[in-house]
C-alpha cells in the first residue's frame, strides 16, 4: 500500500503505514505525505492518479537550475497540475563554498546530511516549515527522490516516532529503486550504474547513518532552529487521523 504507482513515476511512496507509538492508529497516516523523484517524470494520467491520492501541494527540494523538463520527459497538458501549489524549498545552496567543498563529493550518500543542516540550517528549516504549512496531501521530491528527499523523510518519520530501523528501511527502498537509473542529478551520481548487489552493499554500509538521523531528530531540529510548534505540527501531520 505504501508504493505509489503513478504513471511515469517510480521510487514513489506514501509515508503512511509505518509503525509508531505516537499515532492514534498505531502507524503513520496514509495520504498525508508522499516522497518521490522529479515531478517532470509524471504523465497526464500519473498526475490524475496523484490527485486521486489527494495531492494538493508539491514541495520541491531542488535548486532552481534543476527544475524543468528534460529530454525524454513526457509531454503533458498545461492544465494538468495548474491548480496545485508548488513550493520551491531547496535544501542546498550549491554555490555556497563550504557546502560545495564538504558535500559535493558525497551528495549521493547520507553522509552529507549532517553537513547540510550544519552548513545551511536556514534552508533545511525553511523546507520543514514549508511542509508544516502545507495543505494535507504533500509530495516531497528532489531529483532522484533518494538523498535530499531521503534526508527530509528521515527527519519527518523520526519526528513522528517511527523506529530508526524502519526509517533506514524506507531509505533502503529508494536506494534499490534508483540503482542503475538516470536521475539528471546536478553532480555525478555513482549509483546510476549500480547493480542490485552493489546497492545492497551500500545499504549495509550506510544504514547506521540513517538510523542516527532518525533517532536524533530533536537535536537536528535544535540545530536548524525549528520551533516546538512546528515540530508538533509535523508530527501531527503523520500521526493524527
Amino acid at each position: 500500500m505504501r508504493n505509489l504507482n503513478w504513471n511515469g513515476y517510480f521510487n514513489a511512496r506514501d509515508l503512511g503505514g509505518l509503525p509508531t507509538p505516537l499515532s492514534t492508529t498505531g502507524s503513520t497516516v496514509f495520504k498525508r505525505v508522499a516522497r518521490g523523484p522529479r515531478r517532470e517524470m509524471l504523465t497526464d494520467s500519473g498526475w490524475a492518479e496523484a490527485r486521486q491520492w489527494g495531492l494538493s501541494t508539491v514541495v520541491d527540494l531542488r535548486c532552481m537550475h534543476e527544475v524543468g523538463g528534460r529530454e525524454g520527459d513526457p509531454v503533458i497538458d498545461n492544465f494538468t497540475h495548474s491548480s496545485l501549489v508548488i513550493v520551491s524549498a531547496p535544501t542546498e545552496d550549491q554555490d555556497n563554498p563550504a557546502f560545495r567543498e564538504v558535500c559535493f563529493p558525497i551528495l549521493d550518500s547520507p553522509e552529507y546530511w549532517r553537513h547540510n543542516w550544519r552548513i545551511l540550517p536556514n534552508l533545511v528549516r525553511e523546507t520543514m516549515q514549508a511542509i508544516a504549512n502545507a495543505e494535507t496531501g504533500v509530495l516531497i521530491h528532489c531529483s532522484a527522490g533518494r538523498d535530499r528527499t531521503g534526508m527530509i523523510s528521515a527527519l519527518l518519520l523520526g519526528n513522528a516516532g517511527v523506529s530508526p530501523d524502519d526509517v533506514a528501511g524506507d531509505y533502503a527502498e529508494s536506494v534499490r529503486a534508483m540503482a542503475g537509473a538516470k536521475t539528471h542529478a546536478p553532480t555525478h551520481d555513482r549509483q546510476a550504474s549500480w547493480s542490485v548487489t552493489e546497492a545492497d552493499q551500500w545499504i549495509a554500509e550506510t544504514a547506521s547513518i540513517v538510523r542516527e538521523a532518525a533517532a536524533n531528530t530533536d537535536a537536528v531540529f535544535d540545530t536548524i532552529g525549528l520551533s516546538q510548534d512546528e515540530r508538533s505540527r509535523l508530527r501531527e501531520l503523520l500521526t493524527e487521523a
Side-chain angles (χ1 to χ4, degrees), residues 2 13-14 16 20 29 39 42 48 57 96-98 127 135 140 151 160 172 178 184 191 197 202 216-217 221:
R2 295 192 61 228
R13 289 185 304 286
D14 195 312
T20 170
V29 183
R39 65 181 180 273
L42 282 161
T57 306
N96 180 283
T127 296
E135 185 179 343
I140 304 164
M151 175 178 71
M178 297 308 296
H184 301 296
Q191 298 191 31
T197 300
W202 177 255
N216 295 285
T217 53
F221 290 163

Side-chain angles (χ1 to χ4, degrees), residues 129-145:
Q129 289 170 333
I131 299 166
N133 293 329
E135 185 179 343
T136 298
V138 184
L139 170 63
I140 304 164
H141 79 83
C142 55
S143 180

